[in-house]
Amino acid sequence: AQTVTQSQPEMSVQEAETVTLSCTYDTSESDYYLFWYKQPPSRQMILVIRQEAYKQQNATENRFSVNFQKAAKSFSLKISDSQLGDAAMYFCAYRTTYNNNDMRFGAGTRLTVKP
Amino acid sequence: DGGITQSPKYLFRKEGQNVTLSCEQNLNHDAMYWYRQDPGQGLRLIYYSQIVNDFQKGDIAEGYSVSREKKESFPLTVTSAQKNPTAFYLCASRPQGDNSPLHFGNGTRLTVT
């Protein structure tokens, strides 16, 4: 079974600085999807960014970008110009193309933003 | 506005009682899901449903039951057989499409004493 590992339980960043959250996954498949979700104190999960494994280009959404290293099975999230509203739990998730209903989540990284 | 509504936000029950968590969506999504979230762990799939009147067990279905009588609704019942029911429960839905992401509700915090 596929597993997703987030090795940083907690991270902190100064407001306006850049932070990178790590995510690795284990799979034997060549085609899959990767996601980053944000869970603020309201506890609703919000999609931050997604990446298709067949695309070499790293996905970008405004201040959020990923570094997708397929061979290394790594999918890190970079947050630029960090804002106070970025403080949240961040979850990395993997989904196979063979079963759209099987999404695997990492344990999460709690990000603190210091003013 | 379209979205997923979970109710109630907080739920308290005595041990030995069954309890049903509500999940309603008006996004016209076919697939719906129930996840459980515990501290220090990622989300774990309890049940999912791809179409009305059909549902499948996830990784931790024991002690839970679901129904899908309407496309918009996917209630989850936590039975007395669930050994550790206290947790945060998230409902999600997903539109058609291979790379479509999950859309989540606000969750229900269940406390059983």
Side-chain angles (χ1 to χ4, degrees):
Chain A
Q2 295 85 5
T3 57
V4 179
T5 302
Q6 294 179 248
S7 59
Q8 307 152 317
E10 297 184 355
M11 291 283 285
S12 67
V13 62
Q14 205 72 33
E15 194 176 5
E17 297 294 311
T18 296
V19 65
T20 298
L21 308 184
S22 301
C23 173
T24 58
Y25 54 93
D26 181 28
T27 185
S28 58
E29 297 169 3
S30 61
D31 201 12
Y32 44 86
Y33 304 103
L34 296 164
F35 305 84
W36 277 99
Y37 279 90
K38 169 185 178 180
Q39 188 180 43
S42 67
R43 303 206 73 175
Q44 181 170 23
M45 298 280 281
I46 303 165
L47 177 69
V48 175
I49 200 165
R50 59 181 154 178
Q51 174 85 39
E52 291 89 349
Y54 65 85
K55 290 186 177 179
Q56 293 186 342
Q57 187 173 6
N58 289 325
T60 298
E61 288 286 343
N62 301 315
R63 297 183 295 107
F64 299 88
S65 61
V66 298
N67 183 6
F68 173 47
Q69 301 289 328
K70 191 172 184 178
K73 298 179 184 177
S74 171
F75 184 60
S76 60
L77 174 70
K78 186 172 83 170
I79 306 174
S80 304
D81 185 25
S82 297
Q83 301 175 359
L84 295 177
D86 294 334
M89 283 288 289
Y90 286 82
F91 292 93
C92 178
Y94 165 103
R95 189 171 77 208
T96 173
T97 58
Y98 299 104
N99 183 353
N100 284 330
N101 300 299
D102 187 11
M103 182 174 276
R104 301 285 164 171
F105 289 83
T109 296
R110 181 173 300 281
L111 178 66
T112 302
V113 181
K114 299 178 181 179
Chain B
D1 287 339
I4 301 174
T5 301
Q6 290 187 243
S7 61
K9 188 171 183 177
Y10 298 98
L11 195 50
F12 298 88
R13 279 294 182 271
K14 294 290 187 184
E15 197 173 318
Q17 294 178 334
N18 291 353
V19 60
T20 297
L21 282 60
S22 170
C23 177
E24 303 279 333
Q25 56 103 355
N26 60 4
L27 299 168
N28 199 34
H29 290 172
D30 288 312
M32 296 187 73
Y33 306 80
W34 274 105
Y35 286 91
R36 171 179 172 140
Q37 185 177 17
D38 294 285
Q41 297 189 44
L43 278 64
R44 293 183 290 166
L45 183 62
I46 304 172
Y47 267 99
Y48 66 93
S49 168
Q50 297 187 84
I51 56 172
V52 173
N53 292 324
D54 183 65
F55 45 83
Q56 305 295 327
K57 293 182 178 180
D59 296 325
I60 56 167
E62 186 175 348
Y64 299 97
S65 66
V66 293
S67 63
R68 187 85 186 276
E69 297 178 2
K70 299 186 301 181
K71 186 176 183 177
E72 301 79 15
S73 179
F74 190 41
L76 173 74
T77 297
V78 184
T79 75
S80 56
Q82 167 51 231
K83 297 190 188 319
N84 293 299
T86 295
F88 187 66
Y89 292 87
L90 281 161
C91 179
S93 69
R94 187 175 61 83
Q96 297 282 359
D98 287 342
N99 70 343
S100 57
L102 293 174
H103 297 249
F104 286 88
N106 287 333
T108 293
R109 172 68 182 177
L110 173 64
T111 302
V112 177
T113 58

